[in-house]
C-alpha cells in the first residue's frame, strides 16, 4: 500500500502575524508528491488562511462541544468558519498541561468529524514508560482509548510522538519507530479492519533536516509532525523535500503541479 507522505507543522504557542511570511515561503516550496499542513495558534488561523489559501491550515486543539459556556475554548465549527481544514488533537503537551484524557481526545476527534474537518491524533509514551519496557503497551492503550468512532483514513491521521523526544533533540532509532508504527497499524487493523492500511502514521519528536530522510523513509512511516523546525521555511522546507519519493527530482515541477500538491492536503472529507 502506497500512502502519500504528509509533512505537518505544529507551531504550538509560537508565531505572530509577522511570521506568516514563513508560511508563504513554505507554500511556495510545496511539491506534487508530498502533502503539507501547518497547525497554527488560533489567533493566526484567519490571517494564515488569507496569506496561503492553498496550504492546509489547522488548529492545535478543539473543544468537543459545538458551542456553549466554555470560556477560552474553540469549537470545530469555529475552526471551520476560520478556514481551518484540520486540527491536531491529543498532543502530549495538552494531555500534561490540561489533563486531557483519552476519552476527551476521542470526543474532540468526533467533533472535528461532525464538522467535516480532519484530525491528527497524537499518542506517545513517556520516558518512564520506555525505560520500563512498556512503551508499546502504553501507546496501544492510548490509541484504543482515543480512537474516534467512524475513524477512517480520509479524515484521520495518527501521530506517534514519544514525549521524551519532543523538543529534546533525542529521537528513537528508526527501528524503534518501525516497531511502534507496526504495533499501531496492527491495533488499527483490529479496530477498523481494512481501512487501517490507508491511515497515515506520522512520526513526531525532534524531527530536523538532519534526521528527516532516515525517519521519513523508515517502514510504515507516512510523514512527520514537526514542532520547532516548522517555524521557519529554512528549517521546514528541507524536511518537506526529504519526504519526497526517491525518484522525485527537486526543482523540475511546473507551477500547476506545485498547486496540485497543496490541493492534496489532509483535506476535510468532501
Ligand atoms: P519538536 O519537533 O519541537 O520536537 O516537537 C514535536 C511536536 O511536539 C510536534 O507536535
Amino acid at each position: 500500500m502506497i500512502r502519500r507522505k504528509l509533512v505537518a507543522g505544529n507551531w504550538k504557542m509560537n508565531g505572530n502575524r509577522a511570521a506568516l511570511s514563513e508560511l508563504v515561503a513554505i507554500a511556495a516550496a510545496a511539491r506534487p508528491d508530498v502533502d503539507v499542513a501547518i497547525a497554527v495558534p488560533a489567533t493566526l488561523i484567519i490571517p494564515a488562511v488569507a496569506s496561503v489559501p492553498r496550504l492546509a491550515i489547522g488548529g492545535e486543539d478543539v473543544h468537543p462541544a459545538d458551542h456553549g459556556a466554555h470560556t477560552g475554548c474553540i469549537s470545530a465549527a469555529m475552526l471551520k468558519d476560520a478556514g481551518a481544514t484540520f486540527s491536531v488533537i491529543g498532543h502530549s503537551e495538552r494531555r500534561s498541561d490540561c489533563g486531557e484524557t483519552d476519552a476527551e481526545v476521542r470526543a474532540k476527534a468526533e467533533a472535528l468529524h461532525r464538522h467535516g474537518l480532519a484530525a491528527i491524533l497524537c499518542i506517545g509514551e513517556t520516558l518512564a514508560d520506555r525505560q520500563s519496557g512498556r512503551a508499546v503497551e502504553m501507546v496501544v492503550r492510548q490509541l484504543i482509548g482515543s480512537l474516534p468512532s467512524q475513524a477512517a483514513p480520509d479524515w484521520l491521521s495518527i501521530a506517534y510522538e514519544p514525549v521524551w523526544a519532543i523538543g529534546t533533540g533525542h529521537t528513537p532509532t528508526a527501528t524503534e519507530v518501525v516497531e511502534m508504527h507496526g504495533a499501531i497499524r496492527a491495533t488499527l487493523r483490529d479496530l477498523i479492519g481494512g481501512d487501517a492500511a490507508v491511515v497515515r502514521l506520522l512520526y513526531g519528536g525532534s524531527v530536523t533536516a538532519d534526521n528527516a530522510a532516515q525517519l521519513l523513509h523508515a517502514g510504515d512511516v507516512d510523514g512527520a509532525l514537526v514542532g520547532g523546525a516548522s517555524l521557519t521555511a529554512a528549517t521546514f522546507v528541507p524536511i518537506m523535500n526529504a519526504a519526497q519519493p526517491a525518484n522525485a527530482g527537486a526543482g523540475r515541477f511546473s507551477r500547476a503541479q506545485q498547486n496540485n500538491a497543496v490541493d492534496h492536503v489532509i483535506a476535510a472529507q468532501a
Side-chain angles (χ1 to χ4, degrees), residues 223-261:
L225 183 56
V226 184
S230 71
L231 294 174
T232 66
T235 48
F236 193 63
V237 170
I239 299 173
M240 291 158 51
N241 289 340
Q244 287 193 81
N247 60 357
R252 63 181 174 81
F253 297 107
S254 68
R255 168 60 57 184
Q257 285 172 308
Q258 289 185 26
N259 288 344
N260 191 37

Side-chain angles (χ1 to χ4, degrees), residues 8-10 12 88 91-93 122 159 161 165-170 204-208 225-230:
N10 175 9
K12 307 190 179 184
V88 171
H91 194 282
S92 62
E93 288 152 11
C122 303
E161 298 205 311
I166 294 176
T168 60
H170 300 298
S206 294
V207 176
T208 64
L225 183 56
V226 184
S230 71

Side-chain angles (χ1 to χ4, degrees), residues 30-263:
R31 300 282 165 193
D33 295 322
V34 176
D35 295 339
V36 177
I38 309 278
V40 297
T43 51
L44 290 181
I45 293 174
I46 290 173
V49 170
S51 300
V52 284
R54 301 179 64 84
L55 196 65
I57 297 297
E60 299 176 4
D61 180 45
V62 67
H63 193 280
D66 290 345
H67 54 81
H70 302 288
T71 302
C73 299
I74 294 174
S75 71
M78 291 169 172
L79 287 178
K80 185 167 188 170
D81 182 55
T85 56
F86 76 99
S87 183
V88 171
I89 49 170
H91 194 282
S92 62
E93 288 152 11
R94 292 206 55 88
R95 291 178 187 260
S96 64
D97 287 0
C98 309
E100 282 185 10
T101 64
D102 289 342
E104 284 166 339
V105 174
R106 175 194 291 168
K108 288 171 185 233
E110 289 166 356
L112 291 171
H113 186 50
R114 275 200 304 281
H115 291 275
L117 298 176
I120 298 179
L121 194 167
C122 303
I123 49 179
E125 84 281 5
T126 64
L127 185 59
D129 294 335
R130 179 148 293 267
Q131 287 175 335
S132 64
R134 301 177 66 209
V136 169
E137 176 194 333
M138 298 310 286
V139 168
V140 166
R141 187 181 298 176
Q142 260 184 351
L143 177 61
I144 292 170
S146 45
L147 197 75
S149 61
Q150 300 178 302
D154 57 347
W155 67 277
L156 181 74
S157 305
I158 307 288
Y160 165 52
E161 298 205 311
V163 177
W164 53 272
I166 294 176
T168 60
H170 300 298
T171 60
T173 64
T175 307
E176 288 168 332
V177 174
V178 171
E179 180 199 25
M180 188 63 81
H181 281 212
I184 293 169
R185 184 81 63 197
T187 306
L188 286 174
R189 215 177 290 124
D190 288 345
L191 296 171
I192 61 171
D195 277 350
V198 197
V199 173
R200 289 193 282 198
L201 306 185
L202 315 182
Y203 167 77
S206 294
V207 176
T208 64
D210 291 338
N211 59 26
Q214 195 195 8
L215 289 165
L216 279 160
H217 296 288
D220 229 344
V221 175
D222 306 311
L225 183 56
V226 184
S230 71
L231 294 174
T232 66
T235 48
F236 193 63
V237 170
I239 299 173
M240 291 158 51
N241 289 340
Q244 287 193 81
N247 60 357
R252 63 181 174 81
F253 297 107
S254 68
R255 168 60 57 184
Q257 285 172 308
Q258 289 185 26
N259 288 344
N260 191 37
V262 286
D263 280 345

